[in-house]
């Protein structure tokens, strides 16, 4: 230990701010890298299989076994899926504030496993008896059904909020190689999402339709159980970011301090802006202060010196009032670093908001699109394809496009633009939003064709299959699947790379929260559309027991218009955003 260079060498070989699974300092070369990320990706395949195994066919289960109307079943499913994704914010918050992403994943997976262990049994009804009255599930059985569903949602949310960040934490974002590997990880994370989804909408859906729902629940339960030992297998090589306290506390403290601190601190605010725009400020202050100031005394007197300053473009300057030598209360004392971190988070929110409409469109994949396919000819030769297996089209396309994008498109773009990323995060998100506009236009045209076939065949009031192949529905699936690939992978990497290190898990969870808000917004839009179109004695567009009586094509055109306006809104914010992380814009 007394050899020359001993202690410095030890400090240089540890990852600053990271520990292993036993809370010992993480070692460079031993912890982190592609190997631990591989275990995360395999765990994601199993986790998403467990989630989608039931979610993909849930709308049919609610309609056929719980005897609810198609629109009510669609709303129940979107509410469940929305809650699961919204709870990702809780998982991200806990990962940043109290526990590591490693522990949050294990706890969440255990919760989902325990919730899936209890079967959801429908009320008895003899479907073979035409005189049988199948009543909608209610009372205690309905309470048990939804309690189990939302406990699953809690586990899914915790996993979604911790697993992507845990995988991304394995790479060194201080080097170009580490950033490129992290970008590859996010591409393959979406690829693995699709792998789990592929098994769910093929094998599991077939089992549920042919062997019974209890078998589907069994496969789902087994998948989430297997994901735990797979994830644990990488424990020895994980590097886990040390939680740095509640990010929400920091955000609220800065906002409250900026609101309450007197405006007479304007001079201090101007000084802060000058500090962040002048590269020589930190060096000047370092040379002018006494050595003992670095031992902590200055930190008590001048909160500006607590942390290293981040560059600022002058926006959101009203938050600078949070930093003052005389705050209204000592608990509201903020550092420059904290103010700049909050500015970064607030600048992410417009991008987050612009993706909600896209996810509202994606909600149609698991609701009305499945019900559309159930009215069409789903035969593929001698094989009858279950309607819930239709998501196989976007899934297969994502599985093909993700490797092509990572290994061919991105390298070509890097050579063409001579930049590190080739395609920036915001450009990638914008491509996805543009594709969503085309997807809804295609969906409206396909639905108009489906209804025209029903009218021409005299089957508009029939529940039987129409003489039109379900492959028409695949067109909207392909466009929306492509939009999902570009937007989700871009959002995950954008939020992780741009957010402050102390808020990365929470910021990354915004990607899933956008999905949640999209599902909730879908429910709201359906209710509003029915309320508006059903006034004055008219029949609502999206209400009734027969989908052929719906005006679904009008609803899709409405979503197309909203998506187009949302795309223009996104362009406004994206063109004004300035990247803060290395490699994001170059």
């Amino acid at each position: 230990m007394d050899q020359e260079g001993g202690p410095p060498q030890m400090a240089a070989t540890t990852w600053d701010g990271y520990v292993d699974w036993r809370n010992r300092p993480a070692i460079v070369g031993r912890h982190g890298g592609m190997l631990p990320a591989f275990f995360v990706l395999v765990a994601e395949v199993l986790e998403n299989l467990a989630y989608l195994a039931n979610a993909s066919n849930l709308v049919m289960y609610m309609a056929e076994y719980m005897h609810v109307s198609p629109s009510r079943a669609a709303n129940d499913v979107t509410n469940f899926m929305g809650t699961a994704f919204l709870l990702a914010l809780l998982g991200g918050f806990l990962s940043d504030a109290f526990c590591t992403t490693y522990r949050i994943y294990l706890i969440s997976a255990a919760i989902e496993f325990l919730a899936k262990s209890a079967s959801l049994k429908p009320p008895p009804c003899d479907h073979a008896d035409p005189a049988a009255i199948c009543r909608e599930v209610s009372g205690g059985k309905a309470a048990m059904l939804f309690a189990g569903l939302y406990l699953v949602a809690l586990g899914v949310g915790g996993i979604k909020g911790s697993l992507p960040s845990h995988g991304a934490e394995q790479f060194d974002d201080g080097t170009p190689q580490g950033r490129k590997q992290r970008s590859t990880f996010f591409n393959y994370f979406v690829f693995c999402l699709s792998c789990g989804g592929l098994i769910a909408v093929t094998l599991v859906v077939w089992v549920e339709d042919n062997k019974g729902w209890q078998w589907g629940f069994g496969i789902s339960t087994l998948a989430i159980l297997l994901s735990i030992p797979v994830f644990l297998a990488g424990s020895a090589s994980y590097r886990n970011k040390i939680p740095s306290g509640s990010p929400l506390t920091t955000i609220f403290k800065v906002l409250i301090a900026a609101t309450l601190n007197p405006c007479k601190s304007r001079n201090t605010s101007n000084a802060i802006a000058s500090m962040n725009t002048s590269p020589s400020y930190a060096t000047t202050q370092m040379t002018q202060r006494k050595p003992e100031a670095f031992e902590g005394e200055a930190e008590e007197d001048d909160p500006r010196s607590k942390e290293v300053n981040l560059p600022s473009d002058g926006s959101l300057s009203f938050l600078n009032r949070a930093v003052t030598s005389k705050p209204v209360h000592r608990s509201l004392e903020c550092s420059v670093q904290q103010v700049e971190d909050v500015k970064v988070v607030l600048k992410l929110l417009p991008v987050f908001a612009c993706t909600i409409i896209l996810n509202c469109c994606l909600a149609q994949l698991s609701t009305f699109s499945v019900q559309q396919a159930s009215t069409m000819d789903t035969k593929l030769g001698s094989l009858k394809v279950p309607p819930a297996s239709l998501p196989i089209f976007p899934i297969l396309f994502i599985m093909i496009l993700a490797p092509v994008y990572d290994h061919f498109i991105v390298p070509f773009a890097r050579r063409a633009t001579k930049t590190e990323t080739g395609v920036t995060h915001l450009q990638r998100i914008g491509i996805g939003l543009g594709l969503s506009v085309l997807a809804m236009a295609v969906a409206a045209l396909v639905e108009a064709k489906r209804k025209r076939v029903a009218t021409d065949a005299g089957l508009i009031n029939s529940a039987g299959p129409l003489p039109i192949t379900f492959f028409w529905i695949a067109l909207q699936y392909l466009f929306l699947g492509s939009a999902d690939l570009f937007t989700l992978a871009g959002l995950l990497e954008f939020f992780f790379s741009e957010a402050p290190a102390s808020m990365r898990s929470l910021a990354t969870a915004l990607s899933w929260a956008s999905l949640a808000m999209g599902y909730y917004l879908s429910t709201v839009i359906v209710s509003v559309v029915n309320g508006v179109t059903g006034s004055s004695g008219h029949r609502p567009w999206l209400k009734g027991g027969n989908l052929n009586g719906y005006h679904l094509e009008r609803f899709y055109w409405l979503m197309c218009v909203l998506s187009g306006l949302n795309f223009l809104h996104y362009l406004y914010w994206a063109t004004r955003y300035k990247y803060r992380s290395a490699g994001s814009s170059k």
Side-chain angles (χ1 to χ4, degrees), residues 418-438:
K418 294 180 171 36
T419 59
E420 183 179 306
T421 59
V423 180
T424 67
H425 307 326
L426 291 177
Q427 288 172 345
R428 187 171 185 178
I429 296 169
I431 293 172
L433 295 180
L435 287 172
S436 71
V437 180
L438 295 176

Side-chain angles (χ1 to χ4, degrees), residues 487-559:
T487 303
L488 180 57
L491 269 182
L492 287 169
E493 187 172 5
F494 174 70
F495 287 143
F496 185 89
S497 60
E498 290 296 295
S502 60
M503 305 180 186
R504 279 181 165 175
S505 295
L506 181 61
T508 305
L510 286 174
S511 304
W512 307 112
S514 174
L515 274 169
M517 300 305 294
Y519 280 112
Y520 286 136
L521 183 60
S522 176
T523 301
V524 172
I525 290 178
V526 168
S527 299
V528 170
V529 165
N530 281 338
V532 173
T533 58
S535 61
S536 303
H538 294 90
R539 181 177 178 177
W541 284 2
L542 307 173
K543 199 168 186 179
N546 189 337
L547 194 69
N548 294 335
Y550 284 28
H551 289 294
L552 194 56
E553 74 286 354
R554 299 178 186 177
F555 175 70
Y556 283 154
W557 281 122
L558 173 64
M559 295 303 301

Side-chain angles (χ1 to χ4, degrees), residues 178-474:
R179 292 191 294 270
K180 290 178 180 178
Q181 289 179 335
R182 185 181 64 196
S183 181
T184 296
F185 166 79
F186 279 118
N187 286 328
Y188 276 94
F189 185 85
V190 177
F191 175 85
C192 290
L193 275 172
S194 300
C195 287
L198 177 65
I199 301 172
V201 301
T202 53
L203 173 64
V204 180
V205 167
W206 183 88
V207 170
E208 289 172 344
D209 286 348
N210 292 275
K211 301 297 182 181
W213 260 81
Q214 65 274 18
W215 286 93
F217 280 122
I219 295 174
S220 177
T221 304
L222 179 62
I224 192 63
L225 177 62
L226 288 177
S227 74
I228 296 176
V230 167
F231 182 80
L232 287 173
S235 297
S237 57
Y238 292 143
R239 66 171 198 164
N240 305 304
K241 184 173 70 67
I242 301 173
S244 54
S246 170
L248 296 181
T249 300
T250 300
I251 293 172
F252 286 125
K253 183 173 74 169
V254 169
L255 293 176
I256 294 173
T259 303
L260 299 181
N261 280 346
C263 295
K264 66 181 181 180
S265 62
R266 186 185 308 167
N267 293 335
T268 303
S269 300
N270 291 338
I272 296 168
S274 176
M275 288 160 53
N276 290 294
T277 56
S278 174
S280 62
Y281 179 87
T283 304
T284 302
Q285 293 299 306
M286 291 282 286
T287 57
Q288 290 179 353
R289 299 184 69 84
K290 296 180 180 180
E292 56 269 20
F294 298 103
E295 297 179 4
E297 294 181 11
E299 296 183 4
E300 297 179 1
D301 299 327
D302 187 0
R304 295 174 302 176
S305 65
K306 286 185 177 181
E307 300 181 50
V308 178
N309 301 315
L310 289 175
S312 174
D313 57 7
S315 60
L316 300 174
S317 58
F318 73 94
L319 292 177
N320 291 343
R321 292 204 304 266
V323 180
T324 178
S325 57
K326 295 180 180 179
V328 294
H329 192 275
R330 186 171 180 82
S331 63
L332 295 178
E333 187 177 286
C334 302
S335 68
V336 173
Q337 179 76 49
Q338 290 174 326
V339 171
E340 294 298 329
D341 285 353
V342 173
K343 287 183 181 181
V344 169
V345 172
L346 293 181
K347 291 173 186 176
L348 300 179
L349 295 182
V351 176
F352 158 77
C354 289
T355 60
I356 293 175
I357 287 291
L358 165 66
N359 291 309
C360 183
C361 297
L362 287 173
Q364 313 314 317
L365 290 180
S366 57
T367 54
F368 288 125
S369 294
V370 174
Q371 293 174 350
Q372 282 177 280
S374 67
T375 69
M376 303 169 78
D377 182 6
T378 59
K379 290 183 179 179
L380 186 60
S382 60
L383 177 66
K384 185 175 178 62
V385 180
S389 292
L390 280 181
I392 190 176
F393 293 109
I395 285 173
L396 286 175
F397 192 71
I398 289 174
M399 293 178 67
I400 295 171
L401 185 58
V404 170
Y405 179 85
D406 192 72
H407 295 289
F408 296 98
I409 298 177
V410 170
F412 174 79
R414 284 170 178 162
R415 290 192 298 269
T417 62
K418 294 180 171 36
T419 59
E420 183 179 306
T421 59
V423 180
T424 67
H425 307 326
L426 291 177
Q427 288 172 345
R428 187 171 185 178
I429 296 169
I431 293 172
L433 295 180
L435 287 172
S436 71
V437 180
L438 295 176
M440 298 318 296
V442 169
L445 294 173
V446 169
E447 173 60 10
K449 179 178 179 60
R450 189 191 70 85
K451 289 187 66 176
R452 187 165 58 249
V453 169
T455 301
D456 294 343
L459 298 173
I460 195 71
N461 295 317
S462 173
L466 302 176
I468 179 174
T469 178
F470 73 105
F471 277 108
W472 284 99
I473 298 293

